[in-house]
Amino acid sequence: MNTKIRIAVQKSGRLNEKSLALLENCGISIDNGQDQLKTTARDFPLEVFYLRNGDIPQYLRDGVIDIAILGENTLIEKGEDLQIIERLGFSKCKVSLAIPKNESYTSVKDFEGKRIATSYPNTVSRYLKEKGVSVELHVINGSVEIAPNIGLADGICDIVSSGSTLFKNNLKEVEVMLTSEAVLTVSPKISEERKEILEKLRFRIRSVLKGKQSRYVLMNVPNDKLDAVFQILPGMRSPTVLPLAEEGWSSVHSVIDQHKFWDVIDQLKIAGAEGILVCPIEKMVL
């Protein structure tokens, strides 16, 4: 097959690193040379384009690329017409409003008539319009946190991850407009031939993500407690049960969602499970 699917990832930064790590976990080897704008995978029909995050939505619309991994916040700002086909669960952040930390705040109405510096004019305009608040926007492509300190704005709208950048600039988060994570999105002009490749890639991505969200557990259970343990285990279909050398005991194997992990473990201990061993899952093919 000579046809390759064309994927865009952020040119540099944390999203770039995590996007390439995801592809690698999907068994796709990429030669990521310094300052490359495009490269080809060695073992999957895939071309990788390294682009500025803000440019990616237009490349998708134009059909220059077929799919992209980018922040949902960028898609909301510049590509609301584009379809999200997978949520990837990494590079999570918030898009928030912030003000100088020594100022009081009661509600979003406090922004009425104020000046807001932002790299997300569409997002903040829509949000404040829904709230019935009118502001003056200063669009800045770069570090907006400095704007209140130099008298350019009364507040800012920006990405917030840990909040350390706001703290260093004497700002405080007062309104979360949306939460964001990395997503996989698709061009409306993708060909049928490339859609077939896309489905193979999505299958691999889902297997990797499902593995990261799950834990493999093994435990020893008295045979008279098996039914109680089975009631607790969510499992994939049903747990694996193997007899132990010690009479009256079995080894039970199953999979637990990591978000429910500790609650399930506590219940298993109460039900009689012992010697519980927990292992990470690299991939989970369903």
Side-chain angles (χ1 to χ4, degrees), residues 42-80:
R42 294 197 299 270
D43 42 16
F44 192 82
L46 183 81
E47 284 184 312
V48 182
F49 290 70
Y50 301 100
L51 303 173
R52 287 181 63 252
N53 227 22
D55 295 337
I56 290 175
Q58 192 58 50
Y59 279 100
L60 286 163
R61 289 190 194 95
D62 293 341
V64 176
I65 54 175
D66 304 303
I67 55 175
I69 297 175
L70 76 168
E72 185 179 5
N73 55 292
T74 301
L75 207 59
I76 290 170
E77 175 66 22
K78 295 190 173 183
E80 275 205 313

PDB file of all heavy atoms in Angstrom, residues 42-80:
ATOM      1  N   ARG A  42       8.386   4.206   9.931  1.00  0.00           N
ATOM      2  CA  ARG A  42       9.079   3.089   9.287  1.00  0.00           C
ATOM      3  C   ARG A  42       8.191   1.866   9.119  1.00  0.00           C
ATOM      4  O   ARG A  42       8.391   1.071   8.204  1.00  0.00           O
ATOM      5  CB  ARG A  42      10.318   2.703  10.113  1.00  0.00           C
ATOM      6  CG  ARG A  42      11.380   3.772  10.153  1.00  0.00           C
ATOM      7  CD  ARG A  42      12.720   3.190  10.611  1.00  0.00           C
ATOM      8  NE  ARG A  42      12.636   2.626  11.947  1.00  0.00           N
ATOM      9  CZ  ARG A  42      12.875   3.309  13.053  1.00  0.00           C
ATOM     10  NH1 ARG A  42      13.156   4.596  12.983  1.00  0.00           N
ATOM     11  NH2 ARG A  42      12.808   2.723  14.238  1.00  0.00           N
ATOM     12  N   ASP A  43       7.213   1.690  10.020  1.00  0.00           N
ATOM     13  CA  ASP A  43       6.489   0.419  10.052  1.00  0.00           C
ATOM     14  C   ASP A  43       4.968   0.593  10.072  1.00  0.00           C
ATOM     15  O   ASP A  43       4.237  -0.255  10.552  1.00  0.00           O
ATOM     16  CB  ASP A  43       6.933  -0.410  11.264  1.00  0.00           C
ATOM     17  CG  ASP A  43       7.084   0.475  12.509  1.00  0.00           C
ATOM     18  OD1 ASP A  43       6.561   1.606  12.501  1.00  0.00           O
ATOM     19  OD2 ASP A  43       7.731   0.027  13.464  1.00  0.00           O
ATOM     20  N   PHE A  44       4.496   1.739   9.576  1.00  0.00           N
ATOM     21  CA  PHE A  44       3.056   1.983   9.483  1.00  0.00           C
ATOM     22  C   PHE A  44       2.866   3.048   8.403  1.00  0.00           C
ATOM     23  O   PHE A  44       3.696   3.952   8.282  1.00  0.00           O
ATOM     24  CB  PHE A  44       2.503   2.489  10.826  1.00  0.00           C
ATOM     25  CG  PHE A  44       1.006   2.496  10.921  1.00  0.00           C
ATOM     26  CD1 PHE A  44       0.311   1.336  11.242  1.00  0.00           C
ATOM     27  CD2 PHE A  44       0.273   3.656  10.676  1.00  0.00           C
ATOM     28  CE1 PHE A  44      -1.087   1.337  11.337  1.00  0.00           C
ATOM     29  CE2 PHE A  44      -1.109   3.669  10.765  1.00  0.00           C
ATOM     30  CZ  PHE A  44      -1.788   2.494  11.092  1.00  0.00           C
ATOM     31  N   PRO A  45       1.800   2.944   7.591  1.00  0.00           N
ATOM     32  CA  PRO A  45       1.595   3.919   6.511  1.00  0.00           C
ATOM     33  C   PRO A  45       1.170   5.288   7.045  1.00  0.00           C
ATOM     34  O   PRO A  45      -0.005   5.667   6.990  1.00  0.00           O
ATOM     35  CB  PRO A  45       0.493   3.272   5.655  1.00  0.00           C
ATOM     36  CG  PRO A  45      -0.247   2.385   6.592  1.00  0.00           C
ATOM     37  CD  PRO A  45       0.780   1.867   7.566  1.00  0.00           C
ATOM     38  N   LEU A  46       2.156   6.032   7.570  1.00  0.00           N
ATOM     39  CA  LEU A  46       1.886   7.281   8.270  1.00  0.00           C
ATOM     40  C   LEU A  46       2.978   8.304   7.969  1.00  0.00           C
ATOM     41  O   LEU A  46       4.164   7.990   8.020  1.00  0.00           O
ATOM     42  CB  LEU A  46       1.844   7.020   9.779  1.00  0.00           C
ATOM     43  CG  LEU A  46       1.515   8.189  10.697  1.00  0.00           C
ATOM     44  CD1 LEU A  46       0.012   8.413  10.751  1.00  0.00           C
ATOM     45  CD2 LEU A  46       2.032   7.929  12.111  1.00  0.00           C
ATOM     46  N   GLU A  47       2.543   9.509   7.646  1.00  0.00           N
ATOM     47  CA  GLU A  47       3.446  10.650   7.536  1.00  0.00           C
ATOM     48  C   GLU A  47       3.140  11.605   8.677  1.00  0.00           C
ATOM     49  O   GLU A  47       1.969  11.889   8.950  1.00  0.00           O
ATOM     50  CB  GLU A  47       3.264  11.377   6.213  1.00  0.00           C
ATOM     51  CG  GLU A  47       3.877  10.680   5.021  1.00  0.00           C
ATOM     52  CD  GLU A  47       3.744  11.512   3.754  1.00  0.00           C
ATOM     53  OE1 GLU A  47       2.627  12.005   3.491  1.00  0.00           O
ATOM     54  OE2 GLU A  47       4.753  11.676   3.047  1.00  0.00           O
ATOM     55  N   VAL A  48       4.176  12.111   9.336  1.00  0.00           N
ATOM     56  CA  VAL A  48       4.002  13.015  10.468  1.00  0.00           C
ATOM     57  C   VAL A  48       4.440  14.415  10.066  1.00  0.00           C
ATOM     58  O   VAL A  48       5.551  14.611   9.575  1.00  0.00           O
ATOM     59  CB  VAL A  48       4.816  12.544  11.688  1.00  0.00           C
ATOM     60  CG1 VAL A  48       4.583  13.483  12.875  1.00  0.00           C
ATOM     61  CG2 VAL A  48       4.449  11.111  12.067  1.00  0.00           C
ATOM     62  N   PHE A  49       3.546  15.389  10.286  1.00  0.00           N
ATOM     63  CA  PHE A  49       3.838  16.790  10.017  1.00  0.00           C
ATOM     64  C   PHE A  49       3.966  17.514  11.352  1.00  0.00           C
ATOM     65  O   PHE A  49       3.097  17.388  12.220  1.00  0.00           O
ATOM     66  CB  PHE A  49       2.711  17.442   9.204  1.00  0.00           C
ATOM     67  CG  PHE A  49       2.625  16.970   7.781  1.00  0.00           C
ATOM     68  CD1 PHE A  49       2.205  15.686   7.469  1.00  0.00           C
ATOM     69  CD2 PHE A  49       2.968  17.819   6.737  1.00  0.00           C
ATOM     70  CE1 PHE A  49       2.121  15.248   6.165  1.00  0.00           C
ATOM     71  CE2 PHE A  49       2.886  17.395   5.418  1.00  0.00           C
ATOM     72  CZ  PHE A  49       2.466  16.108   5.126  1.00  0.00           C
ATOM     73  N   TYR A  50       5.041  18.290  11.526  1.00  0.00           N
ATOM     74  CA  TYR A  50       5.262  19.052  12.745  1.00  0.00           C
ATOM     75  C   TYR A  50       4.840  20.501  12.485  1.00  0.00           C
ATOM     76  O   TYR A  50       5.491  21.218  11.722  1.00  0.00           O
ATOM     77  CB  TYR A  50       6.730  18.983  13.163  1.00  0.00           C
ATOM     78  CG  TYR A  50       7.197  17.562  13.407  1.00  0.00           C
ATOM     79  CD1 TYR A  50       7.913  16.872  12.440  1.00  0.00           C
ATOM     80  CD2 TYR A  50       6.899  16.913  14.604  1.00  0.00           C
ATOM     81  CE1 TYR A  50       8.335  15.566  12.659  1.00  0.00           C
ATOM     82  CE2 TYR A  50       7.309  15.607  14.831  1.00  0.00           C
ATOM     83  CZ  TYR A  50       8.027  14.940  13.852  1.00  0.00           C
ATOM     84  OH  TYR A  50       8.427  13.648  14.074  1.00  0.00           O
ATOM     85  N   LEU A  51       3.736  20.907  13.112  1.00  0.00           N
ATOM     86  CA  LEU A  51       3.133  22.202  12.805  1.00  0.00           C
ATOM     87  C   LEU A  51       2.849  22.998  14.076  1.00  0.00           C
ATOM     88  O   LEU A  51       2.779  22.434  15.171  1.00  0.00           O
ATOM     89  CB  LEU A  51       1.812  22.001  12.042  1.00  0.00           C
ATOM     90  CG  LEU A  51       1.875  21.201  10.743  1.00  0.00           C
ATOM     91  CD1 LEU A  51       0.462  20.949  10.227  1.00  0.00           C
ATOM     92  CD2 LEU A  51       2.702  21.928   9.696  1.00  0.00           C
ATOM     93  N   ARG A  52       2.681  24.303  13.911  1.00  0.00           N
ATOM     94  CA  ARG A  52       2.229  25.143  15.021  1.00  0.00           C
ATOM     95  C   ARG A  52       0.787  24.769  15.363  1.00  0.00           C
ATOM     96  O   ARG A  52      -0.043  24.608  14.480  1.00  0.00           O
ATOM     97  CB  ARG A  52       2.296  26.619  14.657  1.00  0.00           C
ATOM     98  CG  ARG A  52       3.692  27.191  14.601  1.00  0.00           C
ATOM     99  CD  ARG A  52       3.696  28.666  14.248  1.00  0.00           C
ATOM    100  NE  ARG A  52       3.020  29.473  15.252  1.00  0.00           N
ATOM    101  CZ  ARG A  52       1.833  30.054  15.079  1.00  0.00           C
ATOM    102  NH1 ARG A  52       1.163  29.907  13.944  1.00  0.00           N
ATOM    103  NH2 ARG A  52       1.296  30.779  16.033  1.00  0.00           N
ATOM    104  N   ASN A  53       0.515  24.643  16.660  1.00  0.00           N
ATOM    105  CA  ASN A  53      -0.806  24.217  17.120  1.00  0.00           C
ATOM    106  C   ASN A  53      -1.937  25.028  16.481  1.00  0.00           C
ATOM    107  O   ASN A  53      -2.934  24.486  16.019  1.00  0.00           O
ATOM    108  CB  ASN A  53      -0.879  24.340  18.641  1.00  0.00           C
ATOM    109  CG  ASN A  53      -1.455  23.104  19.296  1.00  0.00           C
ATOM    110  OD1 ASN A  53      -1.443  22.027  18.721  1.00  0.00           O
ATOM    111  ND2 ASN A  53      -1.951  23.254  20.498  1.00  0.00           N
ATOM    112  N   GLY A  54      -1.762  26.356  16.456  1.00  0.00           N
ATOM    113  CA  GLY A  54      -2.819  27.225  15.954  1.00  0.00           C
ATOM    114  C   GLY A  54      -3.068  27.112  14.465  1.00  0.00           C
ATOM    115  O   GLY A  54      -4.130  27.512  13.968  1.00  0.00           O
ATOM    116  N   ASP A  55      -2.101  26.560  13.720  1.00  0.00           N
ATOM    117  CA  ASP A  55      -2.259  26.413  12.273  1.00  0.00           C
ATOM    118  C   ASP A  55      -2.949  25.111  11.880  1.00  0.00           C
ATOM    119  O   ASP A  55      -3.446  24.972  10.755  1.00  0.00           O
ATOM    120  CB  ASP A  55      -0.885  26.461  11.579  1.00  0.00           C
ATOM    121  CG  ASP A  55      -0.205  27.808  11.728  1.00  0.00           C
ATOM    122  OD1 ASP A  55      -0.924  28.802  11.954  1.00  0.00           O
ATOM    123  OD2 ASP A  55       1.038  27.861  11.620  1.00  0.00           O
ATOM    124  N   ILE A  56      -2.969  24.162  12.795  1.00  0.00           N
ATOM    125  CA  ILE A  56      -3.447  22.807  12.461  1.00  0.00           C
ATOM    126  C   ILE A  56      -4.908  22.781  12.003  1.00  0.00           C
ATOM    127  O   ILE A  56      -5.235  22.103  11.016  1.00  0.00           O
ATOM    128  CB  ILE A  56      -3.203  21.850  13.645  1.00  0.00           C
ATOM    129  CG1 ILE A  56      -1.697  21.592  13.786  1.00  0.00           C
ATOM    130  CG2 ILE A  56      -3.951  20.530  13.450  1.00  0.00           C
ATOM    131  CD1 ILE A  56      -1.313  20.747  14.990  1.00  0.00           C
ATOM    132  N   PRO A  57      -5.841  23.488  12.676  1.00  0.00           N
ATOM    133  CA  PRO A  57      -7.241  23.421  12.217  1.00  0.00           C
ATOM    134  C   PRO A  57      -7.424  23.782  10.742  1.00  0.00           C
ATOM    135  O   PRO A  57      -8.192  23.126  10.030  1.00  0.00           O
ATOM    136  CB  PRO A  57      -7.951  24.412  13.143  1.00  0.00           C
ATOM    137  CG  PRO A  57      -7.163  24.360  14.408  1.00  0.00           C
ATOM    138  CD  PRO A  57      -5.739  24.237  13.951  1.00  0.00           C
ATOM    139  N   GLN A  58      -6.714  24.811  10.268  1.00  0.00           N
ATOM    140  CA  GLN A  58      -6.879  25.204   8.866  1.00  0.00           C
ATOM    141  C   GLN A  58      -6.294  24.161   7.922  1.00  0.00           C
ATOM    142  O   GLN A  58      -6.855  23.894   6.858  1.00  0.00           O
ATOM    143  CB  GLN A  58      -6.228  26.567   8.612  1.00  0.00           C
ATOM    144  CG  GLN A  58      -6.607  27.176   7.268  1.00  0.00           C
ATOM    145  CD  GLN A  58      -8.110  27.350   7.105  1.00  0.00           C
ATOM    146  OE1 GLN A  58      -8.774  27.909   7.980  1.00  0.00           O
ATOM    147  NE2 GLN A  58      -8.679  26.846   6.012  1.00  0.00           N
ATOM    148  N   TYR A  59      -5.181  23.548   8.295  1.00  0.00           N
ATOM    149  CA  TYR A  59      -4.607  22.477   7.477  1.00  0.00           C
ATOM    150  C   TYR A  59      -5.589  21.297   7.371  1.00  0.00           C
ATOM    151  O   TYR A  59      -5.674  20.645   6.327  1.00  0.00           O
ATOM    152  CB  TYR A  59      -3.284  21.998   8.071  1.00  0.00           C
ATOM    153  CG  TYR A  59      -2.096  22.872   7.735  1.00  0.00           C
ATOM    154  CD1 TYR A  59      -1.605  23.798   8.648  1.00  0.00           C
ATOM    155  CD2 TYR A  59      -1.458  22.768   6.501  1.00  0.00           C
ATOM    156  CE1 TYR A  59      -0.517  24.609   8.349  1.00  0.00           C
ATOM    157  CE2 TYR A  59      -0.362  23.567   6.193  1.00  0.00           C
ATOM    158  CZ  TYR A  59       0.098  24.482   7.116  1.00  0.00           C
ATOM    159  OH  TYR A  59       1.174  25.275   6.805  1.00  0.00           O
ATOM    160  N   LEU A  60      -6.322  21.024   8.455  1.00  0.00           N
ATOM    161  CA  LEU A  60      -7.332  19.957   8.427  1.00  0.00           C
ATOM    162  C   LEU A  60      -8.474  20.323   7.479  1.00  0.00           C
ATOM    163  O   LEU A  60      -8.922  19.490   6.685  1.00  0.00           O
ATOM    164  CB  LEU A  60      -7.876  19.705   9.831  1.00  0.00           C
ATOM    165  CG  LEU A  60      -6.958  18.967  10.800  1.00  0.00           C
ATOM    166  CD1 LEU A  60      -7.437  19.149  12.241  1.00  0.00           C
ATOM    167  CD2 LEU A  60      -6.882  17.478  10.459  1.00  0.00           C
ATOM    168  N   ARG A  61      -8.950  21.552   7.578  1.00  0.00           N
ATOM    169  CA  ARG A  61     -10.040  21.991   6.699  1.00  0.00           C
ATOM    170  C   ARG A  61      -9.643  21.898   5.227  1.00  0.00           C
ATOM    171  O   ARG A  61     -10.433  21.517   4.386  1.00  0.00           O
ATOM    172  CB  ARG A  61     -10.430  23.428   7.022  1.00  0.00           C
ATOM    173  CG  ARG A  61     -11.143  23.625   8.330  1.00  0.00           C
ATOM    174  CD  ARG A  61     -11.702  25.034   8.427  1.00  0.00           C
ATOM    175  NE  ARG A  61     -12.099  25.337   9.797  1.00  0.00           N
ATOM    176  CZ  ARG A  61     -11.321  25.960  10.674  1.00  0.00           C
ATOM    177  NH1 ARG A  61     -10.117  26.364  10.320  1.00  0.00           N
ATOM    178  NH2 ARG A  61     -11.750  26.190  11.895  1.00  0.00           N
ATOM    179  N   ASP A  62      -8.396  22.275   4.946  1.00  0.00           N
ATOM    180  CA  ASP A  62      -7.927  22.302   3.557  1.00  0.00           C
ATOM    181  C   ASP A  62      -7.579  20.908   3.026  1.00  0.00           C
ATOM    182  O   ASP A  62      -7.341  20.755   1.822  1.00  0.00           O
ATOM    183  CB  ASP A  62      -6.693  23.202   3.437  1.00  0.00           C
ATOM    184  CG  ASP A  62      -7.015  24.667   3.702  1.00  0.00           C
ATOM    185  OD1 ASP A  62      -8.210  25.032   3.617  1.00  0.00           O
ATOM    186  OD2 ASP A  62      -6.087  25.437   3.994  1.00  0.00           O
ATOM    187  N   GLY A  63      -7.532  19.914   3.918  1.00  0.00           N
ATOM    188  CA  GLY A  63      -7.198  18.568   3.480  1.00  0.00           C
ATOM    189  C   GLY A  63      -5.715  18.358   3.251  1.00  0.00           C
ATOM    190  O   GLY A  63      -5.306  17.348   2.659  1.00  0.00           O
ATOM    191  N   VAL A  64      -4.888  19.290   3.738  1.00  0.00           N
ATOM    192  CA  VAL A  64      -3.429  19.125   3.628  1.00  0.00           C
ATOM    193  C   VAL A  64      -2.965  17.993   4.533  1.00  0.00           C
ATOM    194  O   VAL A  64      -2.023  17.268   4.214  1.00  0.00           O
ATOM    195  CB  VAL A  64      -2.712  20.441   3.996  1.00  0.00           C
ATOM    196  CG1 VAL A  64      -1.195  20.262   3.993  1.00  0.00           C
ATOM    197  CG2 VAL A  64      -3.117  21.548   3.034  1.00  0.00           C
ATOM    198  N   ILE A  65      -3.615  17.855   5.688  1.00  0.00           N
ATOM    199  CA  ILE A  65      -3.394  16.722   6.581  1.00  0.00           C
ATOM    200  C   ILE A  65      -4.728  16.020   6.817  1.00  0.00           C
ATOM    201  O   ILE A  65      -5.793  16.608   6.602  1.00  0.00           O
ATOM    202  CB  ILE A  65      -2.775  17.168   7.924  1.00  0.00           C
ATOM    203  CG1 ILE A  65      -3.634  18.265   8.559  1.00  0.00           C
ATOM    204  CG2 ILE A  65      -1.342  17.616   7.729  1.00  0.00           C
ATOM    205  CD1 ILE A  65      -3.176  18.667   9.932  1.00  0.00           C
ATOM    206  N   ASP A  66      -4.666  14.765   7.233  1.00  0.00           N
ATOM    207  CA  ASP A  66      -5.882  13.960   7.405  1.00  0.00           C
ATOM    208  C   ASP A  66      -6.371  13.934   8.850  1.00  0.00           C
ATOM    209  O   ASP A  66      -7.572  13.948   9.103  1.00  0.00           O
ATOM    210  CB  ASP A  66      -5.625  12.526   6.936  1.00  0.00           C
ATOM    211  CG  ASP A  66      -5.136  12.471   5.510  1.00  0.00           C
ATOM    212  OD1 ASP A  66      -5.851  12.980   4.627  1.00  0.00           O
ATOM    213  OD2 ASP A  66      -4.036  11.931   5.267  1.00  0.00           O
ATOM    214  N   ILE A  67      -5.430  13.873   9.783  1.00  0.00           N
ATOM    215  CA  ILE A  67      -5.775  13.794  11.198  1.00  0.00           C
ATOM    216  C   ILE A  67      -4.760  14.613  11.984  1.00  0.00           C
ATOM    217  O   ILE A  67      -3.704  14.980  11.460  1.00  0.00           O
ATOM    218  CB  ILE A  67      -5.796  12.340  11.732  1.00  0.00           C
ATOM    219  CG1 ILE A  67      -4.457  11.647  11.440  1.00  0.00           C
ATOM    220  CG2 ILE A  67      -6.954  11.560  11.150  1.00  0.00           C
ATOM    221  CD1 ILE A  67      -4.328  10.247  12.020  1.00  0.00           C
ATOM    222  N   ALA A  68      -5.072  14.890  13.241  1.00  0.00           N
ATOM    223  CA  ALA A  68      -4.142  15.666  14.067  1.00  0.00           C
ATOM    224  C   ALA A  68      -4.360  15.341  15.532  1.00  0.00           C
ATOM    225  O   ALA A  68      -5.469  15.031  15.964  1.00  0.00           O
ATOM    226  CB  ALA A  68      -4.331  17.152  13.824  1.00  0.00           C
ATOM    227  N   ILE A  69      -3.268  15.421  16.291  1.00  0.00           N
ATOM    228  CA  ILE A  69      -3.340  15.395  17.753  1.00  0.00           C
ATOM    229  C   ILE A  69      -3.073  16.819  18.218  1.00  0.00           C
ATOM    230  O   ILE A  69      -2.013  17.380  17.934  1.00  0.00           O
ATOM    231  CB  ILE A  69      -2.293  14.438  18.356  1.00  0.00           C
ATOM    232  CG1 ILE A  69      -2.563  12.995  17.920  1.00  0.00           C
ATOM    233  CG2 ILE A  69      -2.315  14.534  19.880  1.00  0.00           C
ATOM    234  CD1 ILE A  69      -1.497  12.008  18.373  1.00  0.00           C
ATOM    235  N   LEU A  70      -4.035  17.404  18.883  1.00  0.00           N
ATOM    236  CA  LEU A  70      -3.860  18.763  19.375  1.00  0.00           C
ATOM    237  C   LEU A  70      -4.709  18.985  20.613  1.00  0.00           C
ATOM    238  O   LEU A  70      -5.546  18.147  20.962  1.00  0.00           O
ATOM    239  CB  LEU A  70      -4.197  19.798  18.295  1.00  0.00           C
ATOM    240  CG  LEU A  70      -5.655  20.083  17.946  1.00  0.00           C
ATOM    241  CD1 LEU A  70      -5.744  21.334  17.080  1.00  0.00           C
ATOM    242  CD2 LEU A  70      -6.284  18.918  17.207  1.00  0.00           C
ATOM    243  N   GLY A  71      -4.472  20.107  21.277  1.00  0.00           N
ATOM    244  CA  GLY A  71      -5.237  20.412  22.468  1.00  0.00           C
ATOM    245  C   GLY A  71      -6.673  20.767  22.123  1.00  0.00           C
ATOM    246  O   GLY A  71      -6.929  21.496  21.164  1.00  0.00           O
ATOM    247  N   GLU A  72      -7.589  20.251  22.913  1.00  0.00           N
ATOM    248  CA  GLU A  72      -9.007  20.551  22.695  1.00  0.00           C
ATOM    249  C   GLU A  72      -9.264  22.047  22.789  1.00  0.00           C
ATOM    250  O   GLU A  72     -10.140  22.589  22.100  1.00  0.00           O
ATOM    251  CB  GLU A  72      -9.839  19.803  23.737  1.00  0.00           C
ATOM    252  CG  GLU A  72     -11.329  19.918  23.551  1.00  0.00           C
ATOM    253  CD  GLU A  72     -12.090  19.142  24.610  1.00  0.00           C
ATOM    254  OE1 GLU A  72     -11.459  18.603  25.543  1.00  0.00           O
ATOM    255  OE2 GLU A  72     -13.328  19.084  24.501  1.00  0.00           O
ATOM    256  N   ASN A  73      -8.482  22.743  23.615  1.00  0.00           N
ATOM    257  CA  ASN A  73      -8.636  24.193  23.750  1.00  0.00           C
ATOM    258  C   ASN A  73      -8.371  24.909  22.422  1.00  0.00           C
ATOM    259  O   ASN A  73      -9.048  25.875  22.070  1.00  0.00           O
ATOM    260  CB  ASN A  73      -7.700  24.731  24.827  1.00  0.00           C
ATOM    261  CG  ASN A  73      -6.251  24.351  24.586  1.00  0.00           C
ATOM    262  OD1 ASN A  73      -5.896  23.183  24.676  1.00  0.00           O
ATOM    263  ND2 ASN A  73      -5.406  25.326  24.293  1.00  0.00           N
ATOM    264  N   THR A  74      -7.396  24.418  21.660  1.00  0.00           N
ATOM    265  CA  THR A  74      -7.109  25.000  20.339  1.00  0.00           C
ATOM    266  C   THR A  74      -8.248  24.717  19.375  1.00  0.00           C
ATOM    267  O   THR A  74      -8.632  25.566  18.560  1.00  0.00           O
ATOM    268  CB  THR A  74      -5.791  24.429  19.773  1.00  0.00           C
ATOM    269  OG1 THR A  74      -4.731  24.725  20.681  1.00  0.00           O
ATOM    270  CG2 THR A  74      -5.477  25.032  18.411  1.00  0.00           C
ATOM    271  N   LEU A  75      -8.815  23.522  19.474  1.00  0.00           N
ATOM    272  CA  LEU A  75      -9.927  23.151  18.596  1.00  0.00           C
ATOM    273  C   LEU A  75     -11.160  24.008  18.902  1.00  0.00           C
ATOM    274  O   LEU A  75     -11.861  24.455  17.989  1.00  0.00           O
ATOM    275  CB  LEU A  75     -10.257  21.669  18.791  1.00  0.00           C
ATOM    276  CG  LEU A  75     -10.888  20.933  17.610  1.00  0.00           C
ATOM    277  CD1 LEU A  75      -9.994  20.987  16.386  1.00  0.00           C
ATOM    278  CD2 LEU A  75     -11.175  19.489  17.983  1.00  0.00           C
ATOM    279  N   ILE A  76     -11.405  24.259  20.174  1.00  0.00           N
ATOM    280  CA  ILE A  76     -12.542  25.101  20.560  1.00  0.00           C
ATOM    281  C   ILE A  76     -12.345  26.534  20.061  1.00  0.00           C
ATOM    282  O   ILE A  76     -13.287  27.181  19.616  1.00  0.00           O
ATOM    283  CB  ILE A  76     -12.734  25.068  22.088  1.00  0.00           C
ATOM    284  CG1 ILE A  76     -13.252  23.681  22.519  1.00  0.00           C
ATOM    285  CG2 ILE A  76     -13.705  26.150  22.550  1.00  0.00           C
ATOM    286  CD1 ILE A  76     -13.246  23.457  24.011  1.00  0.00           C
ATOM    287  N   GLU A  77     -11.108  27.009  20.110  1.00  0.00           N
ATOM    288  CA  GLU A  77     -10.804  28.386  19.695  1.00  0.00           C
ATOM    289  C   GLU A  77     -10.816  28.544  18.187  1.00  0.00           C
ATOM    290  O   GLU A  77     -11.354  29.520  17.655  1.00  0.00           O
ATOM    291  CB  GLU A  77      -9.436  28.799  20.251  1.00  0.00           C
ATOM    292  CG  GLU A  77      -8.941  30.163  19.794  1.00  0.00           C
ATOM    293  CD  GLU A  77      -9.781  31.324  20.289  1.00  0.00           C
ATOM    294  OE1 GLU A  77     -10.489  31.171  21.308  1.00  0.00           O
ATOM    295  OE2 GLU A  77      -9.749  32.388  19.653  1.00  0.00           O
ATOM    296  N   LYS A  78     -10.249  27.566  17.460  1.00  0.00           N
ATOM    297  CA  LYS A  78     -10.035  27.756  16.028  1.00  0.00           C
ATOM    298  C   LYS A  78     -10.631  26.686  15.129  1.00  0.00           C
ATOM    299  O   LYS A  78     -10.521  26.776  13.913  1.00  0.00           O
ATOM    300  CB  LYS A  78      -8.532  27.833  15.747  1.00  0.00           C
ATOM    301  CG  LYS A  78      -7.862  29.033  16.373  1.00  0.00           C
ATOM    302  CD  LYS A  78      -6.441  29.201  15.874  1.00  0.00           C
ATOM    303  CE  LYS A  78      -5.829  30.492  16.378  1.00  0.00           C
ATOM    304  NZ  LYS A  78      -4.472  30.710  15.844  1.00  0.00           N
ATOM    305  N   GLY A  79     -11.272  25.657  15.728  1.00  0.00           N
ATOM    306  CA  GLY A  79     -11.757  24.575  14.883  1.00  0.00           C
ATOM    307  C   GLY A  79     -12.997  23.891  15.408  1.00  0.00           C
ATOM    308  O   GLY A  79     -13.097  22.662  15.409  1.00  0.00           O
ATOM    309  N   GLU A  80     -13.979  24.676  15.850  1.00  0.00           N
ATOM    310  CA  GLU A  80     -15.205  24.077  16.402  1.00  0.00           C
ATOM    311  C   GLU A  80     -15.958  23.247  15.370  1.00  0.00           C
ATOM    312  O   GLU A  80     -16.782  22.403  15.728  1.00  0.00           O
ATOM    313  CB  GLU A  80     -16.123  25.176  16.948  1.00  0.00           C
ATOM    314  CG  GLU A  80     -15.789  25.576  18.372  1.00  0.00           C
ATOM    315  CD  GLU A  80     -16.992  26.157  19.085  1.00  0.00           C
ATOM    316  OE1 GLU A  80     -17.680  27.012  18.513  1.00  0.00           O
ATOM    317  OE2 GLU A  80     -17.251  25.738  20.228  1.00  0.00           O
TER     318      GLU A  80
END
